[in-house]
mmCIF file of all heavy atoms in Angstrom:
data_model
loop_
_atom_site.group_PDB
_atom_site.id
_atom_site.type_symbol
_atom_site.label_atom_id
_atom_site.label_comp_id
_atom_site.label_asym_id
_atom_site.label_seq_id
_atom_site.Cartn_x
_atom_site.Cartn_y
_atom_site.Cartn_z
ATOM 1 N N MET A 1 159.291 -41.400 106.909
ATOM 2 C CA MET A 1 158.727 -41.751 105.594
ATOM 3 C C MET A 1 157.834 -40.621 105.081
ATOM 4 O O MET A 1 157.045 -40.051 105.839
ATOM 5 C CB MET A 1 157.898 -43.034 105.735
ATOM 6 C CG MET A 1 157.550 -43.641 104.418
ATOM 7 S SD MET A 1 156.109 -44.708 104.593
ATOM 8 C CE MET A 1 156.559 -46.078 103.591
ATOM 9 N N VAL A 2 157.953 -40.306 103.757
ATOM 10 C CA VAL A 2 157.121 -39.246 103.178
ATOM 11 C C VAL A 2 155.673 -39.723 103.145
ATOM 12 O O VAL A 2 155.393 -40.866 102.802
ATOM 13 C CB VAL A 2 157.545 -38.954 101.706
ATOM 14 C CG1 VAL A 2 156.814 -37.732 101.171
ATOM 15 C CG2 VAL A 2 159.036 -38.811 101.592
ATOM 16 N N LYS A 3 154.783 -38.837 103.518
ATOM 17 C CA LYS A 3 153.356 -39.154 103.437
ATOM 18 C C LYS A 3 152.714 -38.149 102.487
ATOM 19 O O LYS A 3 152.997 -36.950 102.561
ATOM 20 C CB LYS A 3 152.696 -39.030 104.815
ATOM 21 C CG LYS A 3 153.183 -40.075 105.794
ATOM 22 C CD LYS A 3 152.250 -41.249 105.789
ATOM 23 C CE LYS A 3 152.584 -42.194 106.932
ATOM 24 N NZ LYS A 3 151.687 -43.329 106.998
ATOM 25 N N TYR A 4 151.874 -38.647 101.607
ATOM 26 C CA TYR A 4 151.276 -37.794 100.585
ATOM 27 C C TYR A 4 149.855 -37.381 100.954
ATOM 28 O O TYR A 4 149.211 -38.021 101.785
ATOM 29 C CB TYR A 4 151.273 -38.541 99.245
ATOM 30 C CG TYR A 4 152.672 -38.875 98.786
ATOM 31 C CD1 TYR A 4 153.193 -40.159 98.959
ATOM 32 C CD2 TYR A 4 153.478 -37.901 98.199
ATOM 33 C CE1 TYR A 4 154.481 -40.460 98.553
ATOM 34 C CE2 TYR A 4 154.775 -38.194 97.791
ATOM 35 C CZ TYR A 4 155.267 -39.475 97.970
ATOM 36 O OH TYR A 4 156.536 -39.772 97.577
ATOM 37 N N LYS A 5 149.408 -36.313 100.246
ATOM 38 C CA LYS A 5 148.032 -35.839 100.457
ATOM 39 C C LYS A 5 147.222 -36.166 99.195
ATOM 40 O O LYS A 5 147.612 -35.775 98.083
ATOM 41 C CB LYS A 5 148.065 -34.323 100.716
ATOM 42 C CG LYS A 5 146.712 -33.737 101.022
ATOM 43 C CD LYS A 5 146.855 -32.305 101.552
ATOM 44 C CE LYS A 5 145.506 -31.611 101.619
ATOM 45 N NZ LYS A 5 145.599 -30.245 102.140
ATOM 46 N N LYS A 26 144.978 -51.250 100.372
ATOM 47 C CA LYS A 26 146.407 -51.064 100.103
ATOM 48 C C LYS A 26 147.007 -50.292 101.277
ATOM 49 O O LYS A 26 146.329 -49.549 101.953
ATOM 50 C CB LYS A 26 146.605 -50.236 98.835
ATOM 51 C CG LYS A 26 145.845 -50.771 97.641
ATOM 52 C CD LYS A 26 146.767 -51.277 96.592
ATOM 53 C CE LYS A 26 145.978 -51.840 95.427
ATOM 54 N NZ LYS A 26 146.777 -52.618 94.509
ATOM 55 N N ASN A 27 148.312 -50.480 101.425
ATOM 56 C CA ASN A 27 148.945 -49.722 102.493
ATOM 57 C C ASN A 27 149.815 -48.630 101.890
ATOM 58 O O ASN A 27 151.037 -48.685 101.966
ATOM 59 C CB ASN A 27 149.753 -50.687 103.362
ATOM 60 C CG ASN A 27 150.067 -50.086 104.701
ATOM 61 O OD1 ASN A 27 149.471 -49.059 105.070
ATOM 62 N ND2 ASN A 27 151.013 -50.674 105.412
ATOM 63 N N LEU A 28 149.175 -47.650 101.266
ATOM 64 C CA LEU A 28 149.944 -46.613 100.569
ATOM 65 C C LEU A 28 150.386 -45.534 101.568
ATOM 66 O O LEU A 28 149.681 -45.276 102.546
ATOM 67 C CB LEU A 28 149.096 -45.979 99.471
ATOM 68 C CG LEU A 28 148.618 -46.912 98.356
ATOM 69 C CD1 LEU A 28 147.782 -46.148 97.337
ATOM 70 C CD2 LEU A 28 149.797 -47.568 97.657
ATOM 71 N N PRO A 29 151.525 -44.909 101.322
ATOM 72 C CA PRO A 29 152.005 -43.877 102.255
ATOM 73 C C PRO A 29 151.253 -42.562 102.087
ATOM 74 O O PRO A 29 151.792 -41.578 101.585
ATOM 75 C CB PRO A 29 153.487 -43.740 101.875
ATOM 76 C CG PRO A 29 153.548 -44.128 100.437
ATOM 77 C CD PRO A 29 152.469 -45.147 100.209
ATOM 78 N N ILE A 30 149.976 -42.574 102.471
ATOM 79 C CA ILE A 30 149.155 -41.367 102.345
ATOM 80 C C ILE A 30 148.792 -40.894 103.753
ATOM 81 O O ILE A 30 148.258 -41.657 104.560
ATOM 82 C CB ILE A 30 147.905 -41.649 101.496
ATOM 83 C CG1 ILE A 30 148.372 -41.912 100.049
ATOM 84 C CG2 ILE A 30 146.928 -40.461 101.527
ATOM 85 C CD1 ILE A 30 147.368 -42.454 99.131
ATOM 86 N N GLY A 31 149.134 -39.626 104.018
ATOM 87 C CA GLY A 31 148.930 -39.097 105.365
ATOM 88 C C GLY A 31 147.615 -38.367 105.504
ATOM 89 O O GLY A 31 147.088 -38.216 106.599
ATOM 90 N N GLU A 32 147.079 -37.881 104.360
ATOM 91 C CA GLU A 32 145.839 -37.106 104.445
ATOM 92 C C GLU A 32 144.956 -37.374 103.231
ATOM 93 O O GLU A 32 145.421 -37.325 102.087
ATOM 94 C CB GLU A 32 146.191 -35.608 104.514
ATOM 95 C CG GLU A 32 144.996 -34.760 104.865
ATOM 96 C CD GLU A 32 145.353 -33.269 104.999
ATOM 97 O OE1 GLU A 32 146.544 -32.921 105.115
ATOM 98 O OE2 GLU A 32 144.410 -32.458 104.962
ATOM 99 N N TYR A 33 143.710 -37.679 103.500
ATOM 100 C CA TYR A 33 142.719 -37.901 102.440
ATOM 101 C C TYR A 33 141.661 -36.813 102.524
ATOM 102 O O TYR A 33 141.218 -36.469 103.616
ATOM 103 C CB TYR A 33 141.989 -39.232 102.655
ATOM 104 C CG TYR A 33 142.843 -40.469 102.503
ATOM 105 C CD1 TYR A 33 143.524 -41.004 103.600
ATOM 106 C CD2 TYR A 33 142.935 -41.127 101.281
ATOM 107 C CE1 TYR A 33 144.295 -42.153 103.473
ATOM 108 C CE2 TYR A 33 143.703 -42.288 101.145
ATOM 109 C CZ TYR A 33 144.371 -42.789 102.251
ATOM 110 O OH TYR A 33 145.119 -43.928 102.123
ATOM 111 N N ASP A 68 149.140 -33.746 96.623
ATOM 112 C CA ASP A 68 150.139 -34.397 95.772
ATOM 113 C C ASP A 68 149.462 -35.122 94.611
ATOM 114 O O ASP A 68 149.938 -35.096 93.483
ATOM 115 C CB ASP A 68 150.952 -35.412 96.594
ATOM 116 C CG ASP A 68 151.691 -34.742 97.723
ATOM 117 O OD1 ASP A 68 152.629 -33.978 97.422
ATOM 118 O OD2 ASP A 68 151.311 -34.937 98.905
ATOM 119 N N PHE A 69 148.361 -35.815 94.932
ATOM 120 C CA PHE A 69 147.669 -36.626 93.920
ATOM 121 C C PHE A 69 146.157 -36.459 94.069
ATOM 122 O O PHE A 69 145.657 -36.203 95.173
ATOM 123 C CB PHE A 69 148.000 -38.111 94.097
ATOM 124 C CG PHE A 69 149.474 -38.417 94.062
ATOM 125 C CD1 PHE A 69 150.165 -38.718 95.236
ATOM 126 C CD2 PHE A 69 150.166 -38.396 92.859
ATOM 127 C CE1 PHE A 69 151.521 -38.995 95.212
ATOM 128 C CE2 PHE A 69 151.528 -38.667 92.823
ATOM 129 C CZ PHE A 69 152.215 -38.976 93.999
ATOM 130 N N GLU A 337 149.867 -46.088 92.798
ATOM 131 C CA GLU A 337 150.907 -46.885 93.471
ATOM 132 C C GLU A 337 152.233 -46.802 92.711
ATOM 133 O O GLU A 337 153.292 -46.644 93.301
ATOM 134 C CB GLU A 337 150.450 -48.350 93.447
ATOM 135 C CG GLU A 337 150.476 -49.034 94.763
ATOM 136 C CD GLU A 337 149.912 -50.451 94.651
ATOM 137 O OE1 GLU A 337 149.184 -50.788 93.683
ATOM 138 O OE2 GLU A 337 150.224 -51.231 95.561
ATOM 139 N N ILE A 340 153.775 -43.346 93.094
ATOM 140 C CA ILE A 340 154.366 -43.174 94.429
ATOM 141 C C ILE A 340 155.688 -43.932 94.509
ATOM 142 O O ILE A 340 156.665 -43.422 95.071
ATOM 143 C CB ILE A 340 153.379 -43.647 95.518
ATOM 144 C CG1 ILE A 340 152.234 -42.639 95.653
ATOM 145 C CG2 ILE A 340 154.080 -43.836 96.858
ATOM 146 C CD1 ILE A 340 151.139 -43.027 96.621
ATOM 147 N N SER A 341 155.737 -45.115 93.908
ATOM 148 C CA SER A 341 156.963 -45.927 94.025
ATOM 149 C C SER A 341 158.122 -45.297 93.276
ATOM 150 O O SER A 341 159.278 -45.601 93.512
ATOM 151 C CB SER A 341 156.726 -47.355 93.531
ATOM 152 O OG SER A 341 156.536 -47.334 92.150
#
Side-chain angles (χ1 to χ4, degrees):
M1 193 202 221
V2 188
K3 293 265 190 178
Y4 298 101
K5 183 168 169 179
K26 308 247 178 193
N27 198 14
L28 299 180
I30 292 169
E32 191 177 344
Y33 293 89
D68 299 292
F69 304 105
E337 231 176 341
I340 287 176
S341 69

